[in-house]
Amino acid sequence: MLAPDDLVWPLFAVPGERVRTPVKSMPGVFQLSVDELVAEAQAGFECGVRGVILFGVPEHKDAQGSGAYDDNGIIPRAVRALKLKVPGLVVMTDVCLCEYTDHGHCGVLRPPRAGGPGQDLTVDNDATLPLLAREAVAHAKAGADLVAPSDMMDGRVGALRRALDEAGFAEVPILSYAAKFAGAFYGPFRDAAESAPREGPGIPKDRKGYQMDPANAREAMREVALDVAEGADLLMVKPALPYLDIVRGVKERFDLPVAAYHVSGEYAMIKAAAERGWIDEDRVALETLLCCRRAGADFVLTYYARHAASLLTGIRR
Ligand code: PBG
């Protein structure tokens, strides 16, 4: 069974007003200024979409990703506007530094340890945790209904939980990107969020240092178990279709709601084939989302949310 309220719609917030910049590798997806994002979310809501997840592109990037934990940053501004103007919409926020750091990594960097392998900088897991915690609290203060850490640092769920509780947000749940694989399916997203790791001396080329190995299902289950122990309230598997075995495994093993993220590359593949007339876009999109549900996902994050909801309800906006 697939219903509109099984779908969560990712939206990209950018500074400015009346900005609606198409993302080239994701037809139908835009970078939106807050006013436009509110209008888009409202239209989605009218079609039956009940939840959105927000990603932000800040006005400035720096080595520490300070735009991520600014109480007046792009995401807090977007959250406040949505909570005011689209009552009833569940507003989730992605918690990560990669959109906010000038090097594009999900955490802060430090020089290699003396005697360690190679000359590359490495992501400083433990120095990143308090920054992520501040980011989550800034989102919660703005009114976020749920926070979703996607950075994949070890210990982040526990760090977020403690910080949220201390700040008076014990009731704000954490949707953990619990099993997030370091694959090739995130390319278009990095265009949309302007978050690809920069090329530069010493900067790690990819996220393999903190995201998971696509070949390893057992590691995935261990990672999920750690997030559960740290207090995750909901669990996500990402990407979706190539990892449906993981979705099913998580569903069977853990007694928490499970989400699948149908990611940017998966969306782009359907779009590209459909544009050539090679597949029936609407049918393939709905079948894809339905199969995520069949595999065990209680809900699906998808760029198709509004379109699929519209197909399911018959409401066009
Ligand atoms: C940030 C983040 C990414 C996605 C969601 N949160 C990209 C990444 O890890 O580089 C990808 C979503 C998509 O591809 O649709 N860490």
Side-chain angles (χ1 to χ4, degrees):
M1 255 291 287
L2 181 69
D5 56 7
D6 302 329
L7 307 174
V8 174
W9 197 16
L11 295 173
F12 297 96
V14 293
E17 260 176 77
R18 278 190 246 137
V19 179
R20 202 176 158 81
T21 310
V23 179
K24 236 195 255 142
S25 49
M26 300 175 75
V29 176
F30 301 84
Q31 293 182 324
L32 302 164
S33 53
V34 171
D35 52 324
E36 292 283 338
L37 187 143
V38 166
E40 190 91 341
Q42 176 69 43
F45 190 73
E46 287 167 14
C47 296
V49 176
R50 290 294 170 256
V52 295
I53 182 162
L54 304 182
F55 299 90
V57 181
E59 24 281 281
H60 304 292
K61 302 191 187 225
D62 56 38
Q64 300 291 312
S66 58
Y69 35 92
D70 175 355
D71 283 339
N72 252 322
I74 183 72
I75 293 298
R77 298 201 306 273
V79 171
R80 284 195 290 268
L82 282 175
K83 294 309 292 181
L84 194 69
K85 305 234 173 89
V86 197
L89 182 72
V90 176
V91 179
M92 315 181 186
T93 60
D94 185 81
V95 172
C96 191
L97 296 191
C98 65
E99 298 109 283
Y100 305 91
T101 51
D102 52 14
H103 46 72
H105 276 286
C106 301
V108 294
L109 300 180
R110 65 155 176 236
R113 223 169 294 144
Q119 291 305 306
D120 280 356
L121 299 162
T122 49
V123 172
D124 191 339
N125 188 96
D126 292 3
T128 301
L129 297 179
L131 305 182
L132 295 167
R134 278 174 66 188
E135 180 178 8
V137 170
H139 295 178
K141 270 198 230 159
D145 296 298
L146 175 156
V147 293
S150 70
D151 51 280
M152 295 303 283
M153 299 301 125
D154 290 336
R156 80 269 165 75
V157 172
L160 260 59
R161 186 70 274 157
R162 278 188 296 280
L164 288 166
D165 291 356
E166 273 164 25
F169 299 107
E171 79 290 356
V172 172
I174 297 176
L175 164 60
S176 169
Y177 285 69
K180 174 172 171 181
F181 291 89
F185 283 97
Y186 309 143
F189 171 94
R190 292 175 189 172
D191 293 341
E194 300 174 14
S195 66
R198 301 289 172 278
E199 278 176 38
I203 300 177
K205 284 185 301 299
D206 56 39
R207 305 204 197 291
K208 289 188 182 144
Y210 41 101
Q211 297 181 359
M212 291 167 16
D213 176 1
N216 200 334
R218 268 179 306 178
E219 179 191 42
M221 293 306 151
R222 278 201 303 278
E223 288 269 354
V224 175
L226 287 173
D227 285 3
V228 172
E230 289 176 26
D233 300 284
L234 311 96
L235 304 168
M236 190 199 300
V237 176
K238 170 184 170 193
L241 275 201
Y243 296 89
L244 288 186
D245 58 325
I246 308 291
V247 171
R248 166 50 55 103
V250 171
K251 180 72 181 175
E252 280 174 358
R253 231 173 274 202
F254 301 95
D255 206 8
L256 288 174
V258 177
Y261 196 147
H262 184 247
V263 301
S264 58
E266 300 180 82
Y267 174 83
M269 292 193 306
I270 300 179
K271 280 282 176 192
E275 273 178 8
R276 294 180 171 208
W278 289 352
I279 57 172
D280 179 330
E281 179 178 13
D282 291 355
R283 289 184 55 205
V284 169
L286 289 177
E287 184 177 334
T288 298
L289 300 173
L290 176 68
C291 291
C292 293
R293 295 272 294 134
R294 187 204 63 229
D298 296 288
F299 58 105
V300 186
L301 293 84
T302 173
Y303 303 96
Y304 271 116
R306 172 181 168 179
H307 185 61
S310 187
L311 292 172
L312 293 166
T313 58
I315 302 168
R316 297 277 133 94
R317 283 285 178 278

PDB file of all heavy atoms in Angstrom, residues 225-253:
ATOM      1  N   ALA A 225      22.353  -0.605  15.073  1.00  0.00           N
ATOM      2  CA  ALA A 225      22.212  -0.961  16.492  1.00  0.00           C
ATOM      3  C   ALA A 225      22.812   0.122  17.388  1.00  0.00           C
ATOM      4  O   ALA A 225      22.265   0.451  18.440  1.00  0.00           O
ATOM      5  CB  ALA A 225      22.868  -2.317  16.759  1.00  0.00           C
ATOM      6  N   LEU A 226      23.944   0.693  16.967  1.00  0.00           N
ATOM      7  CA  LEU A 226      24.563   1.763  17.757  1.00  0.00           C
ATOM      8  C   LEU A 226      23.625   2.970  17.843  1.00  0.00           C
ATOM      9  O   LEU A 226      23.433   3.556  18.909  1.00  0.00           O
ATOM     10  CB  LEU A 226      25.889   2.205  17.119  1.00  0.00           C
ATOM     11  CG  LEU A 226      27.066   1.244  17.263  1.00  0.00           C
ATOM     12  CD1 LEU A 226      28.254   1.735  16.444  1.00  0.00           C
ATOM     13  CD2 LEU A 226      27.455   1.110  18.738  1.00  0.00           C
ATOM     14  N   ASP A 227      23.035   3.336  16.709  1.00  0.00           N
ATOM     15  CA  ASP A 227      22.119   4.487  16.715  1.00  0.00           C
ATOM     16  C   ASP A 227      20.910   4.224  17.606  1.00  0.00           C
ATOM     17  O   ASP A 227      20.430   5.119  18.304  1.00  0.00           O
ATOM     18  CB  ASP A 227      21.662   4.813  15.285  1.00  0.00           C
ATOM     19  CG  ASP A 227      22.764   5.493  14.478  1.00  0.00           C
ATOM     20  OD1 ASP A 227      23.882   5.654  15.010  1.00  0.00           O
ATOM     21  OD2 ASP A 227      22.499   5.877  13.321  1.00  0.00           O
ATOM     22  N   VAL A 228      20.421   2.988  17.585  1.00  0.00           N
ATOM     23  CA  VAL A 228      19.276   2.644  18.435  1.00  0.00           C
ATOM     24  C   VAL A 228      19.682   2.787  19.902  1.00  0.00           C
ATOM     25  O   VAL A 228      18.972   3.396  20.703  1.00  0.00           O
ATOM     26  CB  VAL A 228      18.777   1.211  18.135  1.00  0.00           C
ATOM     27  CG1 VAL A 228      17.717   0.778  19.142  1.00  0.00           C
ATOM     28  CG2 VAL A 228      18.227   1.135  16.706  1.00  0.00           C
ATOM     29  N   ALA A 229      20.858   2.272  20.232  1.00  0.00           N
ATOM     30  CA  ALA A 229      21.333   2.343  21.619  1.00  0.00           C
ATOM     31  C   ALA A 229      21.525   3.787  22.067  1.00  0.00           C
ATOM     32  O   ALA A 229      21.344   4.118  23.235  1.00  0.00           O
ATOM     33  CB  ALA A 229      22.643   1.571  21.766  1.00  0.00           C
ATOM     34  N   GLU A 230      21.880   4.663  21.129  1.00  0.00           N
ATOM     35  CA  GLU A 230      22.103   6.070  21.472  1.00  0.00           C
ATOM     36  C   GLU A 230      20.802   6.872  21.544  1.00  0.00           C
ATOM     37  O   GLU A 230      20.819   8.047  21.892  1.00  0.00           O
ATOM     38  CB  GLU A 230      23.044   6.715  20.442  1.00  0.00           C
ATOM     39  CG  GLU A 230      24.476   6.219  20.562  1.00  0.00           C
ATOM     40  CD  GLU A 230      25.363   6.806  19.468  1.00  0.00           C
ATOM     41  OE1 GLU A 230      25.067   7.896  18.950  1.00  0.00           O
ATOM     42  OE2 GLU A 230      26.359   6.143  19.118  1.00  0.00           O
ATOM     43  N   GLY A 231      19.694   6.255  21.151  1.00  0.00           N
ATOM     44  CA  GLY A 231      18.411   6.949  21.311  1.00  0.00           C
ATOM     45  C   GLY A 231      17.714   7.380  20.038  1.00  0.00           C
ATOM     46  O   GLY A 231      16.818   8.231  20.078  1.00  0.00           O
ATOM     47  N   ALA A 232      18.080   6.796  18.905  1.00  0.00           N
ATOM     48  CA  ALA A 232      17.358   7.132  17.668  1.00  0.00           C
ATOM     49  C   ALA A 232      15.894   6.715  17.804  1.00  0.00           C
ATOM     50  O   ALA A 232      15.591   5.673  18.388  1.00  0.00           O
ATOM     51  CB  ALA A 232      17.992   6.429  16.479  1.00  0.00           C
ATOM     52  N   ASP A 233      14.994   7.537  17.270  1.00  0.00           N
ATOM     53  CA  ASP A 233      13.563   7.244  17.345  1.00  0.00           C
ATOM     54  C   ASP A 233      13.045   6.620  16.057  1.00  0.00           C
ATOM     55  O   ASP A 233      12.039   5.907  16.065  1.00  0.00           O
ATOM     56  CB  ASP A 233      12.785   8.537  17.618  1.00  0.00           C
ATOM     57  CG  ASP A 233      13.218   9.167  18.920  1.00  0.00           C
ATOM     58  OD1 ASP A 233      12.808   8.661  19.976  1.00  0.00           O
ATOM     59  OD2 ASP A 233      13.995  10.142  18.883  1.00  0.00           O
ATOM     60  N   LEU A 234      13.683   6.946  14.950  1.00  0.00           N
ATOM     61  CA  LEU A 234      13.316   6.389  13.649  1.00  0.00           C
ATOM     62  C   LEU A 234      14.618   6.117  12.900  1.00  0.00           C
ATOM     63  O   LEU A 234      15.619   6.804  13.122  1.00  0.00           O
ATOM     64  CB  LEU A 234      12.442   7.366  12.834  1.00  0.00           C
ATOM     65  CG  LEU A 234      11.233   8.000  13.539  1.00  0.00           C
ATOM     66  CD1 LEU A 234      11.597   9.376  14.073  1.00  0.00           C
ATOM     67  CD2 LEU A 234      10.056   8.126  12.590  1.00  0.00           C
ATOM     68  N   LEU A 235      14.578   5.140  11.995  1.00  0.00           N
ATOM     69  CA  LEU A 235      15.798   4.699  11.324  1.00  0.00           C
ATOM     70  C   LEU A 235      15.661   4.842   9.815  1.00  0.00           C
ATOM     71  O   LEU A 235      14.639   4.472   9.246  1.00  0.00           O
ATOM     72  CB  LEU A 235      16.058   3.222  11.651  1.00  0.00           C
ATOM     73  CG  LEU A 235      16.153   2.908  13.145  1.00  0.00           C
ATOM     74  CD1 LEU A 235      16.121   1.393  13.370  1.00  0.00           C
ATOM     75  CD2 LEU A 235      17.419   3.524  13.746  1.00  0.00           C
ATOM     76  N   MET A 236      16.717   5.355   9.188  1.00  0.00           N
ATOM     77  CA  MET A 236      16.656   5.508   7.741  1.00  0.00           C
ATOM     78  C   MET A 236      17.718   4.665   7.052  1.00  0.00           C
ATOM     79  O   MET A 236      18.826   4.494   7.567  1.00  0.00           O
ATOM     80  CB  MET A 236      16.878   6.976   7.369  1.00  0.00           C
ATOM     81  CG  MET A 236      16.591   7.266   5.905  1.00  0.00           C
ATOM     82  SD  MET A 236      17.346   8.800   5.357  1.00  0.00           S
ATOM     83  CE  MET A 236      16.584   9.982   6.422  1.00  0.00           C
ATOM     84  N   VAL A 237      17.341   4.161   5.890  1.00  0.00           N
ATOM     85  CA  VAL A 237      18.293   3.477   5.014  1.00  0.00           C
ATOM     86  C   VAL A 237      18.377   4.285   3.727  1.00  0.00           C
ATOM     87  O   VAL A 237      17.371   4.734   3.188  1.00  0.00           O
ATOM     88  CB  VAL A 237      17.827   2.039   4.692  1.00  0.00           C
ATOM     89  CG1 VAL A 237      18.775   1.377   3.692  1.00  0.00           C
ATOM     90  CG2 VAL A 237      17.728   1.222   5.976  1.00  0.00           C
ATOM     91  N   LYS A 238      19.599   4.443   3.225  1.00  0.00           N
ATOM     92  CA  LYS A 238      19.812   5.329   2.100  1.00  0.00           C
ATOM     93  C   LYS A 238      21.037   4.883   1.310  1.00  0.00           C
ATOM     94  O   LYS A 238      22.065   4.599   1.932  1.00  0.00           O
ATOM     95  CB  LYS A 238      20.034   6.738   2.673  1.00  0.00           C
ATOM     96  CG  LYS A 238      20.507   7.772   1.719  1.00  0.00           C
ATOM     97  CD  LYS A 238      20.760   9.028   2.482  1.00  0.00           C
ATOM     98  CE  LYS A 238      21.465   9.978   1.551  1.00  0.00           C
ATOM     99  NZ  LYS A 238      22.029  11.103   2.175  1.00  0.00           N
ATOM    100  N   PRO A 239      20.962   4.818  -0.027  1.00  0.00           N
ATOM    101  CA  PRO A 239      19.809   4.962  -0.923  1.00  0.00           C
ATOM    102  C   PRO A 239      18.730   3.893  -0.695  1.00  0.00           C
ATOM    103  O   PRO A 239      18.849   3.093   0.229  1.00  0.00           O
ATOM    104  CB  PRO A 239      20.440   4.799  -2.314  1.00  0.00           C
ATOM    105  CG  PRO A 239      21.895   5.056  -2.136  1.00  0.00           C
ATOM    106  CD  PRO A 239      22.214   4.617  -0.747  1.00  0.00           C
ATOM    107  N   ALA A 240      17.708   3.899  -1.572  1.00  0.00           N
ATOM    108  CA  ALA A 240      16.573   3.007  -1.364  1.00  0.00           C
ATOM    109  C   ALA A 240      16.638   1.742  -2.219  1.00  0.00           C
ATOM    110  O   ALA A 240      16.974   0.667  -1.724  1.00  0.00           O
ATOM    111  CB  ALA A 240      15.265   3.766  -1.607  1.00  0.00           C
ATOM    112  N   LEU A 241      16.349   1.853  -3.504  1.00  0.00           N
ATOM    113  CA  LEU A 241      16.192   0.641  -4.329  1.00  0.00           C
ATOM    114  C   LEU A 241      17.393  -0.316  -4.288  1.00  0.00           C
ATOM    115  O   LEU A 241      17.196  -1.514  -4.129  1.00  0.00           O
ATOM    116  CB  LEU A 241      15.901   1.004  -5.789  1.00  0.00           C
ATOM    117  CG  LEU A 241      14.458   1.273  -6.199  1.00  0.00           C
ATOM    118  CD1 LEU A 241      14.316   1.104  -7.709  1.00  0.00           C
ATOM    119  CD2 LEU A 241      13.463   0.389  -5.474  1.00  0.00           C
ATOM    120  N   PRO A 242      18.628   0.164  -4.446  1.00  0.00           N
ATOM    121  CA  PRO A 242      19.726  -0.804  -4.442  1.00  0.00           C
ATOM    122  C   PRO A 242      19.950  -1.424  -3.061  1.00  0.00           C
ATOM    123  O   PRO A 242      20.723  -2.374  -2.936  1.00  0.00           O
ATOM    124  CB  PRO A 242      20.958   0.032  -4.838  1.00  0.00           C
ATOM    125  CG  PRO A 242      20.432   1.347  -5.296  1.00  0.00           C
ATOM    126  CD  PRO A 242      19.099   1.532  -4.680  1.00  0.00           C
ATOM    127  N   TYR A 243      19.292  -0.898  -2.033  1.00  0.00           N
ATOM    128  CA  TYR A 243      19.541  -1.330  -0.651  1.00  0.00           C
ATOM    129  C   TYR A 243      18.265  -1.837   0.027  1.00  0.00           C
ATOM    130  O   TYR A 243      18.147  -1.788   1.238  1.00  0.00           O
ATOM    131  CB  TYR A 243      20.162  -0.169   0.147  1.00  0.00           C
ATOM    132  CG  TYR A 243      21.532   0.214  -0.395  1.00  0.00           C
ATOM    133  CD1 TYR A 243      21.650   1.159  -1.414  1.00  0.00           C
ATOM    134  CD2 TYR A 243      22.688  -0.404   0.073  1.00  0.00           C
ATOM    135  CE1 TYR A 243      22.894   1.487  -1.947  1.00  0.00           C
ATOM    136  CE2 TYR A 243      23.933  -0.083  -0.454  1.00  0.00           C
ATOM    137  CZ  TYR A 243      24.036   0.859  -1.461  1.00  0.00           C
ATOM    138  OH  TYR A 243      25.259   1.172  -1.989  1.00  0.00           O
ATOM    139  N   LEU A 244      17.335  -2.350  -0.766  1.00  0.00           N
ATOM    140  CA  LEU A 244      16.079  -2.822  -0.165  1.00  0.00           C
ATOM    141  C   LEU A 244      16.300  -4.015   0.771  1.00  0.00           C
ATOM    142  O   LEU A 244      15.511  -4.220   1.694  1.00  0.00           O
ATOM    143  CB  LEU A 244      15.055  -3.169  -1.249  1.00  0.00           C
ATOM    144  CG  LEU A 244      14.437  -1.974  -1.992  1.00  0.00           C
ATOM    145  CD1 LEU A 244      13.340  -2.458  -2.934  1.00  0.00           C
ATOM    146  CD2 LEU A 244      13.882  -0.923  -1.039  1.00  0.00           C
ATOM    147  N   ASP A 245      17.358  -4.776   0.533  1.00  0.00           N
ATOM    148  CA  ASP A 245      17.654  -5.873   1.475  1.00  0.00           C
ATOM    149  C   ASP A 245      17.984  -5.309   2.858  1.00  0.00           C
ATOM    150  O   ASP A 245      17.635  -5.891   3.884  1.00  0.00           O
ATOM    151  CB  ASP A 245      18.808  -6.746   0.955  1.00  0.00           C
ATOM    152  CG  ASP A 245      20.084  -5.939   0.712  1.00  0.00           C
ATOM    153  OD1 ASP A 245      19.988  -4.771   0.289  1.00  0.00           O
ATOM    154  OD2 ASP A 245      21.179  -6.474   0.960  1.00  0.00           O
ATOM    155  N   ILE A 246      18.636  -4.150   2.866  1.00  0.00           N
ATOM    156  CA  ILE A 246      18.978  -3.523   4.154  1.00  0.00           C
ATOM    157  C   ILE A 246      17.696  -2.984   4.815  1.00  0.00           C
ATOM    158  O   ILE A 246      17.507  -3.109   6.031  1.00  0.00           O
ATOM    159  CB  ILE A 246      19.995  -2.374   3.950  1.00  0.00           C
ATOM    160  CG1 ILE A 246      21.211  -2.844   3.129  1.00  0.00           C
ATOM    161  CG2 ILE A 246      20.426  -1.795   5.299  1.00  0.00           C
ATOM    162  CD1 ILE A 246      22.122  -3.818   3.826  1.00  0.00           C
ATOM    163  N   VAL A 247      16.829  -2.399   3.993  1.00  0.00           N
ATOM    164  CA  VAL A 247      15.543  -1.908   4.531  1.00  0.00           C
ATOM    165  C   VAL A 247      14.826  -3.053   5.230  1.00  0.00           C
ATOM    166  O   VAL A 247      14.379  -2.937   6.378  1.00  0.00           O
ATOM    167  CB  VAL A 247      14.654  -1.326   3.400  1.00  0.00           C
ATOM    168  CG1 VAL A 247      13.254  -1.019   3.920  1.00  0.00           C
ATOM    169  CG2 VAL A 247      15.288  -0.074   2.795  1.00  0.00           C
ATOM    170  N   ARG A 248      14.734  -4.180   4.532  1.00  0.00           N
ATOM    171  CA  ARG A 248      14.044  -5.338   5.095  1.00  0.00           C
ATOM    172  C   ARG A 248      14.744  -5.832   6.373  1.00  0.00           C
ATOM    173  O   ARG A 248      14.100  -6.112   7.389  1.00  0.00           O
ATOM    174  CB  ARG A 248      13.975  -6.434   4.022  1.00  0.00           C
ATOM    175  CG  ARG A 248      13.606  -7.836   4.483  1.00  0.00           C
ATOM    176  CD  ARG A 248      12.356  -7.870   5.349  1.00  0.00           C
ATOM    177  NE  ARG A 248      11.222  -7.244   4.703  1.00  0.00           N
ATOM    178  CZ  ARG A 248      10.221  -7.893   4.134  1.00  0.00           C
ATOM    179  NH1 ARG A 248      10.216  -9.196   4.127  1.00  0.00           N
ATOM    180  NH2 ARG A 248       9.220  -7.221   3.590  1.00  0.00           N
ATOM    181  N   GLY A 249      16.074  -5.881   6.335  1.00  0.00           N
ATOM    182  CA  GLY A 249      16.828  -6.343   7.500  1.00  0.00           C
ATOM    183  C   GLY A 249      16.607  -5.449   8.712  1.00  0.00           C
ATOM    184  O   GLY A 249      16.412  -5.927   9.831  1.00  0.00           O
ATOM    185  N   VAL A 250      16.618  -4.150   8.483  1.00  0.00           N
ATOM    186  CA  VAL A 250      16.423  -3.200   9.594  1.00  0.00           C
ATOM    187  C   VAL A 250      15.006  -3.346  10.145  1.00  0.00           C
ATOM    188  O   VAL A 250      14.789  -3.370  11.362  1.00  0.00           O
ATOM    189  CB  VAL A 250      16.701  -1.752   9.122  1.00  0.00           C
ATOM    190  CG1 VAL A 250      16.286  -0.748  10.184  1.00  0.00           C
ATOM    191  CG2 VAL A 250      18.183  -1.577   8.778  1.00  0.00           C
ATOM    192  N   LYS A 251      14.044  -3.470   9.237  1.00  0.00           N
ATOM    193  CA  LYS A 251      12.650  -3.616   9.663  1.00  0.00           C
ATOM    194  C   LYS A 251      12.468  -4.854  10.537  1.00  0.00           C
ATOM    195  O   LYS A 251      11.771  -4.826  11.548  1.00  0.00           O
ATOM    196  CB  LYS A 251      11.768  -3.722   8.405  1.00  0.00           C
ATOM    197  CG  LYS A 251      10.304  -3.878   8.695  1.00  0.00           C
ATOM    198  CD  LYS A 251       9.755  -2.579   9.214  1.00  0.00           C
ATOM    199  CE  LYS A 251       8.280  -2.700   9.543  1.00  0.00           C
ATOM    200  NZ  LYS A 251       7.817  -1.452  10.168  1.00  0.00           N
ATOM    201  N   GLU A 252      13.107  -5.942  10.137  1.00  0.00           N
ATOM    202  CA  GLU A 252      12.921  -7.194  10.875  1.00  0.00           C
ATOM    203  C   GLU A 252      13.641  -7.187  12.217  1.00  0.00           C
ATOM    204  O   GLU A 252      13.194  -7.776  13.180  1.00  0.00           O
ATOM    205  CB  GLU A 252      13.412  -8.386  10.033  1.00  0.00           C
ATOM    206  CG  GLU A 252      12.365  -8.777   9.014  1.00  0.00           C
ATOM    207  CD  GLU A 252      12.828  -9.846   8.035  1.00  0.00           C
ATOM    208  OE1 GLU A 252      14.001 -10.275   8.127  1.00  0.00           O
ATOM    209  OE2 GLU A 252      12.009 -10.224   7.178  1.00  0.00           O
ATOM    210  N   ARG A 253      14.780  -6.503  12.256  1.00  0.00           N
ATOM    211  CA  ARG A 253      15.608  -6.609  13.445  1.00  0.00           C
ATOM    212  C   ARG A 253      15.318  -5.569  14.523  1.00  0.00           C
ATOM    213  O   ARG A 253      15.605  -5.782  15.686  1.00  0.00           O
ATOM    214  CB  ARG A 253      17.063  -6.448  13.039  1.00  0.00           C
ATOM    215  CG  ARG A 253      17.897  -7.579  13.585  1.00  0.00           C
ATOM    216  CD  ARG A 253      19.266  -7.532  13.058  1.00  0.00           C
ATOM    217  NE  ARG A 253      19.306  -8.230  11.767  1.00  0.00           N
ATOM    218  CZ  ARG A 253      20.417  -8.714  11.267  1.00  0.00           C
ATOM    219  NH1 ARG A 253      21.553  -8.551  11.904  1.00  0.00           N
ATOM    220  NH2 ARG A 253      20.411  -9.341  10.115  1.00  0.00           N
TER     221      ARG A 253
END
